[in-house]
Amino acid sequence: MNTKQLVLAAAVSLAMVAPVAAFAGTLTGGATMPEQIVQEITAVMSLAKQAESVQNQIQMVYNQALNLEQVPIQLWQSVTAPIGALMTVVQNAKGLAYSAQNIGTNFNNLYGNGMPPLGSSYSQSLSSWNANTDDQIKSMLRQFNLQSAQFANVQSGTQTLVNAGQSASGRMAALQAADGIAGVEVGQIQELQQDVMAEAAAQGAYESQVTSADNTATNDQKAFVSGQQQDLADAQNGQSLLTLPPVAITQSTP
């Protein structure tokens, strides 16, 4: 089953679940739990495509620079916008990972921490994902003498790379760093997408299971009440059949 089929299957399974308690959504205010999960899947898939697009743009400029053995200022100007988009991808990926953690926590709270498929391991996996992504980016920056502290947010990271591009050697280092970071993000976001979709499938299956159990319990209760009512009716009918008419008692004369 390919990615689109998995998303469709998850979305359908979640949409078929009876509405559960609604609360403020992590991604969209007021969204129900199934809606939040589908939104998260959609957002991660969209970001994965954006990361690949940005990587392709940066790689194209990087390959041109390798052929020229330098990064002319005109060529550098064509890559500043993709670098800004890359920094946005990095920040959005972190935001989606935190959002997925919140959805997982809310899901467990909604069902009393009783979800068996992935449970708390999902939150731990997302925390590890964030730490691993940061470590890979820091390592990439160190290779080109760039400080990770300068990439605290989209603005500072973009400005750091743009400032590095003031010299020919700086432009090459910044371009190499951007190309490396883009590669890291593509791989990491694909991994995040797999984790989110696996959790969504588990959550959808569990919600369906809970809904099915609730429906079975409701039907059993209805059947029990109906049976009790029928027994009472039968008892009342039986009593009316067994009731004898009053017998007149006459006193004999001695």
Side-chain angles (χ1 to χ4, degrees):
M1 184 178 291
N2 60 33
T3 300
K4 290 184 178 179
Q5 290 172 325
L6 282 170
V7 172
L8 179 60
V12 170
S13 65
L14 291 168
M16 292 178 65
V17 174
V20 294
F23 49 90
T26 306
L27 294 176
T28 301
T32 62
M33 177 59 67
E35 291 170 342
Q36 289 183 54
I37 296 171
V38 173
Q39 289 170 2
E40 183 78 13
I41 294 173
T42 304
V44 172
M45 290 186 65
S46 176
L47 190 62
K49 292 181 179 179
Q50 184 181 354
E52 291 177 355
S53 176
V54 170
Q55 181 189 33
N56 290 336
Q57 294 176 55
I58 293 175
Q59 280 186 339
M60 182 176 65
V61 177
Y62 182 50
N63 290 334
Q64 293 177 16
L66 290 178
N67 291 332
L68 296 172
E69 298 183 354
Q70 61 176 330
V71 187
I73 188 62
Q74 295 84 357
L75 188 60
W76 173 251
Q77 290 172 347
S78 68
V79 81
T80 53
I83 286 175
L86 173 61
M87 295 297 101
T88 300
V89 166
V90 171
Q91 295 298 317
N92 287 347
K94 290 183 178 181
L96 283 176
Y98 286 122
S99 175
Q101 280 184 293
N102 290 334
I103 291 175
T105 299
N106 290 339
F107 189 93
N108 283 339
N109 290 339
L110 185 63
Y111 289 105
N113 294 314
M115 192 186 82
L118 296 179
S120 60
S121 63
Y122 181 53
S123 180
Q124 294 172 358
S125 176
L126 292 173
S127 294
S128 298
W129 181 91
N130 258 323
N132 187 31
T133 302
D134 286 342
D135 288 343
Q136 290 191 53
I137 292 177
K138 289 177 182 178
S139 176
M140 189 65 60
L141 294 172
R142 284 195 295 267
Q143 292 182 35
F144 303 102
N145 299 318
L146 295 171
Q147 300 298 318
S148 59
Q150 297 172 316
F151 290 79
N153 53 54
V154 174
Q155 290 77 14
S156 63
T158 302
Q159 192 60 48
T160 296
L161 290 178
V162 170
N163 291 342
Q166 298 302 315
S167 64
S169 60
R171 286 194 290 270
M172 180 60 80
L175 184 55
Q176 288 175 316
D179 183 63
I181 293 172
V184 167
E185 282 300 309
V186 168
Q188 288 296 103
I189 293 174
Q190 289 174 349
E191 181 180 324
L192 177 63
Q193 178 179 320
Q194 292 174 357
D195 287 347
V196 167
M197 292 179 66
E199 177 72 2
Q203 290 169 335
Y206 187 74
E207 280 194 299
S208 297
Q209 177 184 342
V210 170
T211 301
S212 177
D214 288 344
N215 290 339
T216 299
T218 300
N219 292 335
D220 288 346
Q221 184 178 13
K222 289 180 179 179
F224 175 78
V225 172
S226 177
Q228 291 293 310
Q229 291 173 339
Q230 186 61 48
D231 289 345
L232 179 60
D234 292 343
Q236 290 173 340
N237 291 334
Q239 183 180 6
S240 65
L241 291 173
L242 293 174
T243 300
L244 298 175
V247 178
I249 299 176
T250 59
Q251 185 175 7
S252 61
T253 303

